[in-house]
């Protein structure tokens, strides 16, 4: 539905919205076989179907019966029902293993369909972001080798990973039909080789029979084009998840994720420059506040950059459920005194009055917005 077509300016926002229905006053409406599909390359294109109808149970004047959703509106006002259709967040993986002899050295090899963030005994492995990086996945998948000798502990250990879409799943380009181009789900491939002082070895692989998975953590959504949604209220349920002492009774056994039939990559040591923090920048100026409630702040970094924000919120300022929204743009609308007269006239106080505000047209339909949902009491 919609008039956006298959251009690169398509509307991406439905991936972040609620889903529902409307019923006019005095009507009894039945929605049957209500299905929402993505227009990308997914093997299973259904993102909302009959098995998800229970989302509407409990709404006033709504009855769900099999493939039918009945809405009876006895009022004189339009009835609108909607809810968040999300069924989980990003994938988290973990396994535990015992080391009962003195370790001489340990090396971890890892790659992913998507990108990974690895942990051993609660500590992050490596300095890279978005490992293993981008590649032409139908031909090549890069891996990285890490010396993790100093991260091994006597006795029980934990190897864990976060998985994210990266360049593998989600939106590869602004073209809607490229959604999930290479695959529907992310996956980790790893091997930890531990060599003992006596010369014997212990090998821990990403065997689904010995790994557990979970997708109800704080990262609810993440995508290069659309940003990330983080719910801090979920942190308590996964506190210590990447340590050996964590109670993972609510986690389930990991699964094997197959590749597309036409994806047949070789796995080779990555040779590209890894993504790392190169410098830390501070905003050059804070722009005038445009919002009536004075809760909107525009920070000019002084340069078009790639990075992540670091902000501090005063303790007690956020209540549980409050949301901090961070949106990004490549430049600001011009129009201040000293600029070219055309821009002053067009965008300044006598023009569209948007001078100094973020200019989003250049990012087209990309949402490029982060949402942080507070647990309350953040400092």
């Amino acid at each position: 539905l919609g008039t956006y077509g298959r251009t690169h300016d398509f509307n991406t926002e439905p991936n972040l919205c609620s889903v529902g229905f409307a019923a006019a006053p005095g009507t009894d409406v039945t929605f049957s076989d209500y299905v929402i599909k993505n227009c990308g390359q997914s093997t299973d294109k259904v993102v909302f179907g009959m098995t998800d109808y229970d989302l509407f149970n409990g709404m006033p004047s709504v009855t769900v019966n099999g493939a039918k959703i009945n809405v009876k509106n006895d009022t004189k006002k339009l009835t609108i029902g909607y809810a968040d259709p999300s069924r989980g967040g990003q994938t988290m993986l973990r396994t535990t293993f015992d080391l009962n002899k003195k370790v001489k050295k340990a090396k971890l090899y890892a790659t992913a369909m998507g990108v990974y963030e690895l942990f051993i005994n609660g500590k992050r492995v490596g300095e890279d972001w978005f490992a293993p990086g981008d590649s032409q996945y139908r031909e090549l998948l890069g891996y990285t080798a890490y010396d993790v000798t100093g991260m091994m502990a006597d006795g029980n250990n934990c190897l864990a990973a976060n998985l994210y879409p990266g360049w593998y799943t989600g939106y590869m380009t602004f073209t809607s039909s490229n959604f999930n181009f290479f695959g529907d789900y992310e996956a980790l491939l790893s091997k930890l080789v531990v060599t003992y002082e006596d010369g014997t070895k212990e090998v821990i692989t990403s065997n689904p029979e010995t790994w557990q998975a979970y997708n109800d953590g704080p990262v609810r959504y993440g995508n290069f084009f659309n940003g990330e949604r983080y719910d801090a209220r979920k942190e308590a349920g996964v506190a210590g998840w990447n340590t050996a002492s964590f109670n993972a009774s609510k986690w389930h056994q990991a699964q094997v994720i197959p590749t597309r039939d036409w994806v047949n990559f070789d796995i080779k040591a990555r040779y590209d420059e890894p993504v790392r923090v190169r410098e830390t920048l501070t905003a050059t100026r804070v722009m005038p506040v445009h919002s009536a409630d004075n809760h909107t702040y525009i920070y000019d970094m002084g340069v078009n950059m790639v990075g992540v924000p670091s902000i501090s919120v005063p303790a007690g300022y956020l209540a549980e459920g409050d949301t901090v929204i961070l949106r990004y743009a490549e430049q600001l609308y011009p129009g201040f005194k000293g600029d070219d007269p055309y821009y002053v006239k067009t965008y300044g106080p006598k023009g569209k009055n948007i001078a100094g505000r973020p200019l989003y047209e250049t990012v087209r339909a990309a949402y490029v917005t982060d949402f942080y949902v507070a647990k309350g009491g953040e400092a």
Side-chain angles (χ1 to χ4, degrees):
L1 299 177
T3 59
Y4 294 98
R6 299 168 83 74
T7 75
H8 57 254
D9 290 320
F10 72 100
N11 183 6
T12 62
E13 294 183 23
N15 293 278
L16 301 171
C17 288
S18 296
V19 58
F21 46 79
T27 61
D28 190 339
V29 185
T30 299
F31 300 88
S32 60
D33 300 313
Y34 180 33
V35 177
I36 300 175
K37 299 181 179 180
N38 75 60
C39 57
Q41 302 298 317
S42 299
T43 301
D44 180 5
K45 294 181 180 295
V46 176
V47 294
F48 189 88
M50 190 175 71
T51 57
D52 304 301
Y53 290 175
D54 63 306
L55 184 71
F56 304 123
N57 278 326
M59 288 186 177
S61 304
V62 178
T63 304
V64 178
N65 184 14
K68 296 182 179 180
I69 304 166
N70 181 258
V71 184
K72 188 173 183 179
N73 185 1
D74 293 328
T75 72
K76 296 182 179 180
K77 296 181 179 180
L78 179 68
T79 293
I80 299 176
Y82 58 90
D84 182 353
S86 302
R87 292 290 185 174
Q90 128 274 347
T91 300
M92 307 166 72
L93 299 167
R94 69 187 306 274
T95 189
T96 57
F97 56 94
D98 289 322
L99 299 178
N100 297 316
K101 293 188 288 185
K102 190 172 182 180
V103 175
K104 179 180 180 180
K105 63 179 180 180
K107 182 167 283 189
L108 175 61
Y109 305 85
T111 188
M113 296 189 300
V115 299
Y116 63 78
E117 185 180 26
L118 291 170
F119 301 89
I120 293 179
N121 298 325
K123 297 181 179 180
R124 193 178 190 275
V125 177
E127 301 177 9
D128 300 357
W129 288 60
F130 313 128
D134 190 15
S135 65
Q136 176 46 266
Y137 295 114
R138 73 180 70 194
E139 300 174 357
L140 177 67
L141 192 64
Y143 75 87
T144 301
Y146 303 94
D147 183 348
V148 294
T149 306
M151 304 182 77
M152 298 295 102
D154 295 334
N156 205 9
N157 288 259
C158 178
L159 172 60
N162 280 322
L163 293 182
Y164 304 100
W167 296 270
Y168 199 84
T169 60
Y171 286 107
M172 303 299 103
T173 69
F174 287 101
T175 305
S176 57
S177 58
N178 283 338
F179 180 77
N180 280 358
F181 185 83
F182 290 106
D184 291 355
Y185 307 101
E186 301 82 40
L188 175 73
L189 182 67
S190 67
K191 181 170 71 172
L192 173 63
V193 180
V194 179
T195 304
Y196 294 115
E197 289 283 2
D198 63 7
T200 60
K201 294 183 178 181
E202 194 91 38
V203 180
I204 296 92
T205 64
S206 47
N207 184 339
E209 295 182 2
T210 57
W211 283 69
Q212 293 174 293
Y214 191 67
N215 68 340
D216 198 19
V219 179
R220 313 307 298 168
Y221 176 90
N223 180 272
F224 283 155
F225 279 61
N226 288 339
E228 181 178 291
R229 182 178 292 272
Y230 185 94
D231 190 343
R233 296 171 298 183
K234 295 283 187 178
E235 290 178 344
V238 294
W241 70 277
N242 49 18
T243 63
S245 60
F246 178 74
N247 181 358
S249 58
K250 294 183 179 180
W251 291 43
H252 55 81
Q253 184 174 318
Q255 300 177 9
V256 174
I257 304 300
T259 61
R260 296 269 196 260
D261 292 340
W262 49 269
V263 174
N264 187 26
F265 45 70
D266 293 327
I267 300 177
K268 297 182 179 180
R270 63 178 298 188
Y271 48 82
D272 59 320
E273 187 74 13
V275 177
R276 292 181 179 173
V277 176
R278 304 296 177 178
E279 60 180 329
T280 301
L281 303 177
T282 301
T284 58
R285 57 176 174 168
V286 181
M287 309 302 293
V289 176
H290 294 283
S291 63
D293 58 10
N294 289 328
H295 284 179
T296 300
Y297 306 90
I298 301 173
Y299 295 91
D300 183 2
M301 301 304 297
V303 64
N304 196 349
M305 56 175 282
V306 175
V308 294
S310 176
I311 65 172
S312 297
V313 179
Y317 186 81
L318 296 176
E320 181 179 347
D322 284 352
T323 303
V324 178
I325 302 173
L326 304 171
R327 196 171 190 196
Y328 311 95
E330 294 181 316
Q331 63 189 92
L332 299 173
Y333 278 106
F336 286 104
K337 186 176 181 180
D339 287 335
D340 185 282
Y342 168 79
Y343 293 109
V344 175
K345 180 179 179 181
T346 304
Y347 299 109
K350 295 182 180 181
K352 297 178 181 178
N353 198 27
I354 55 175
R357 300 193 190 193
L359 189 157
Y360 298 115
E361 283 84 347
T362 55
V363 297
R364 293 177 285 190
Y367 207 46
V368 288
T369 305
D370 292 334
F371 298 85
Y372 176 86
V373 182
K375 59 180 179 286
E378 279 89 346

